[in-house]
């Protein structure tokens, strides 16, 4: 008999991150001093990405109902909507990063998160076993943590640059083949939707568009998103559109009208209302306050 997924799992939101000076990014250190207690995290989902680096310690980490042994020098990757739980030894040391896709995609780069093999949660293993060849990865974690806790004015830019270095080094260390275990249905559908939105968000703006592409009903698709992320499909479309709008405002000299057209808005004034509704700033004000180009 097929094992049923948890139904009413709590969903943790990136909006609950306390450091408001940094947009949708947090890094925490596991120091090995946990008041003499194990780290135990009950099954839950996130609406954000989660990366864990284990320098020392042992335990169990379950991702989408598949359990992995925790050993020293390992990295784990959890994508939005996946179920995961954790139990580690008292002496566990390392780091944990939580971030929203917008934090990464706001950088002036052409690499996408889904280009990295460990975020292909449809088919690939979400774990890396590091060795002496990969000894350049830990210093990047250390520098990220140091930068995150610094008082520098350009912290976000430096964090994004260091974070991309971390992902590239992790990608080079990734050696796992295609996973033989079939992924959970919800994870499969979420990754499929995320990929479709990333490709089509400029031309397809409605729930029905993506339901048609996925050959499921709009109601069912929205239900999947609500269950996994506590968000609607329209929220995901708007988030991806807003991230691209910010990138174009920061890293190009195109006019607001040109950006609106590029993003598939037929009415510039509607784009301006859309941007202000989601950021509380006009597009011009956002560009001037974050003057990069």
């Amino acid at each position: 008999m097929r094992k049923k997924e948890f139904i009413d799992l709590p969903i943790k939101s990136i909006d609950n991150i306390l450091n408001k000076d940094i947009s949708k990014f947090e890094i925490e250190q596991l120091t090995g001093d946990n008041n003499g207690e194990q780290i135990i995290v009950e099954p839950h989902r996130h609406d954000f990405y989660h990366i864990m680096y284990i320098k020392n310690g042992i335990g169990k980490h379950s991702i989408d109902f598949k359990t992995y042994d925790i050993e020293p020098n390992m990295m784990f990757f959890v994508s939005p909507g996946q179920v995961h739980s954790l139990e580690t030894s008292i002496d566990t040391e390392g780091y944990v990063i939580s971030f929203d896709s917008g934090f990464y995609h706001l950088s002036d780069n052409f690499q996408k998160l889904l280009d990295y093999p460990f975020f292909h949660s449809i088919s690939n293993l979400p774990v890396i076993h590091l060795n002496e060849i990969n000894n350049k990865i830990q210093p990047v974690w250390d520098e990220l943590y140091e930068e995150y806790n610094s008082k520098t004015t350009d912290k976000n830019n430096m964090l994004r640059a260091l974070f991309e270095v971390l992902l590239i080094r992790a990608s080079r260390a990734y050696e796992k083949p295609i996973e033989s275990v079939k992924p959970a249905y919800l994870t499969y559908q979420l990754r499929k939707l995320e990929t479709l939105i990333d490709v089509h968000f400029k031309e397809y703006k409605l729930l029905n568009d993506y339901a048609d592409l996925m050959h499921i009903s709009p109601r069912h698709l929205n239900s999947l998103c609500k269950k996994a992320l506590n968000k609607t499909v329209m929220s995901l479309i708007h988030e991806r559109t807003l991230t691209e709008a910010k990138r174009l405002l920061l890293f190009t000299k195109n006019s607001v009208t040109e950006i609106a057209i590029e993003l598939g808005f037929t009415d510039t004034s509607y784009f301006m209302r859309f941007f202000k509704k989601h950021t509380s700033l006009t597009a011009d004000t956002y560009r001037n306050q974050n003057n990069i180009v």
Side-chain angles (χ1 to χ4, degrees), residues 216-230:
I216 59 178
S217 73
R219 182 176 180 179
H220 182 48
L221 181 57
N222 230 17
S223 177
L224 292 175
C225 283
K226 291 287 287 184
K227 178 179 179 181
L229 304 174
N230 200 27

Side-chain angles (χ1 to χ4, degrees), residues 242 245-246 249 271-287 289-290:
L242 189 63
K246 289 179 177 179
L249 287 166
F271 167 71
M272 294 173 70
R273 291 195 301 273
F274 167 84
F275 191 89
K276 187 171 184 179
K277 176 183 178 181
H278 291 282
T279 65
S280 300
L281 298 172
T282 67
D284 285 327
T285 300
Y286 179 84
R287 170 176 268 171
Q289 287 185 356
N290 298 274

Side-chain angles (χ1 to χ4, degrees), residues 156-208:
N156 276 299
N157 293 332
M158 179 62 81
L159 284 174
R160 289 191 184 96
L162 289 169
F163 187 48
E164 186 164 18
V165 170
L166 176 69
L167 294 179
I168 291 172
R169 291 200 185 282
S171 182
R172 290 177 176 178
Y174 188 83
E175 298 177 349
K176 293 295 181 182
I178 298 297
E179 186 171 10
S180 59
V181 178
K182 185 178 180 180
Y185 171 76
L186 187 57
T187 296
Y188 179 86
Q189 295 289 45
L190 280 175
R191 295 293 81 73
K192 186 176 179 181
L193 174 63
E194 185 178 8
T195 302
L196 288 171
I197 290 176
D198 197 55
V199 172
H200 297 293
F201 72 94
K202 294 180 183 179
E203 53 182 324
Y204 296 149
K205 307 289 187 183
L206 302 175
L207 163 63
N208 286 8

Side-chain angles (χ1 to χ4, degrees), residues 245 256 259-260 263 265 267-275 283:
V256 172
I259 290 173
L263 294 177
F265 290 85
D267 184 346
T268 303
S269 61
Y270 175 60
F271 167 71
M272 294 173 70
R273 291 195 301 273
F274 167 84
F275 191 89

